[in-house]
Amino acid sequence: MTRDSLLTGRVSLPHHAYLVTIATNGRTAHFRDFACGQAVVREMRRLHEENIVGSMAWVLMPDHLHWLFQLGDSMALSEAIRRFKGRSARAVNRRLQRAEAVWQRGFHDHGLRKEEDVQEIARYIVANPLRAGLVRRVGDYPLWDAVWL
């Protein structure tokens, strides 16, 4: 899938809920290093605190991120993700003492429809480590959160 095909049909609506998936460059498992994962989480929280997004649920897997949020009204979806990827890549590269691409180009987004159950989607997101066999209980995985807990 090319970057341009990911952009086809992308809609950015303020105050709309989106499920975004972002993979690391080469699917490298940077976030097995907990400190690298924490650096990414700090940047996610920063966007939340800046009211760019309203995080609802997320899980940072070793090589990708699933993030459910409501977009604020200060910037478009693509710009919010560009800002997040840039900031988090700089933080991860500082941790790893290098200067390389952390994230793949582009991202996958799904704008939620009214009939979709947001909490069911959140449960699916946070259960990713369990389905991947990384833990036996969701609570054992350290890099996730949901507003309903």
Side-chain angles (χ1 to χ4, degrees):
M1 186 172 287
T2 68
R3 181 179 175 276
D4 290 338
S5 68
L6 289 173
L7 295 174
T8 302
R10 178 165 288 151
V11 176
S12 179
L13 301 171
H15 308 288
H16 194 81
Y18 290 91
L19 171 56
V20 171
T21 302
I22 309 170
T24 59
N25 190 42
R27 296 303 291 242
T28 304
H30 294 301
F31 313 123
R32 288 192 193 282
D33 178 331
F34 184 66
C36 285
Q38 286 179 308
V40 171
V41 171
R42 276 192 298 276
E43 295 307 328
M44 292 169 61
R45 289 190 171 137
R46 186 170 162 195
L47 263 60
H48 181 89
E49 291 163 2
E50 294 171 342
N51 296 314
I52 294 169
V53 301
S55 290
M56 292 185 273
W58 55 267
V59 64
L60 184 60
M61 299 293 285
D63 65 354
H64 66 281
L65 168 67
H66 295 289
W67 191 7
L68 177 63
F69 60 79
Q70 183 176 14
L71 187 62
D73 58 9
S74 63
M75 66 179 57
L77 177 62
S78 292
E79 176 61 19
I81 298 303
R82 186 197 64 75
R83 183 172 293 185
F84 162 73
K85 287 170 68 174
R87 288 175 174 178
S88 61
R90 283 188 293 279
V92 168
N93 277 329
R94 270 193 305 274
R95 163 76 183 150
L96 298 175
Q97 298 181 332
R98 61 172 215 164
E100 296 176 21
V102 172
W103 301 106
Q104 282 183 359
R105 290 182 58 142
F107 60 95
H108 181 269
D109 64 285
H110 170 71
L112 274 62
R113 295 179 290 278
K114 289 181 184 179
E115 67 272 10
E116 291 183 278
D117 184 337
V118 175
Q119 288 185 358
E120 183 178 312
I121 292 168
R123 283 190 290 274
Y124 181 83
I125 289 168
V126 300
N128 264 269
L130 188 66
R131 286 191 305 279
L134 299 177
V135 292
R136 291 180 188 238
R137 294 176 335 122
V138 170
D140 292 340
Y141 193 76
L143 296 170
W144 70 276
D145 199 5
V147 295
W148 294 280
L149 300 176

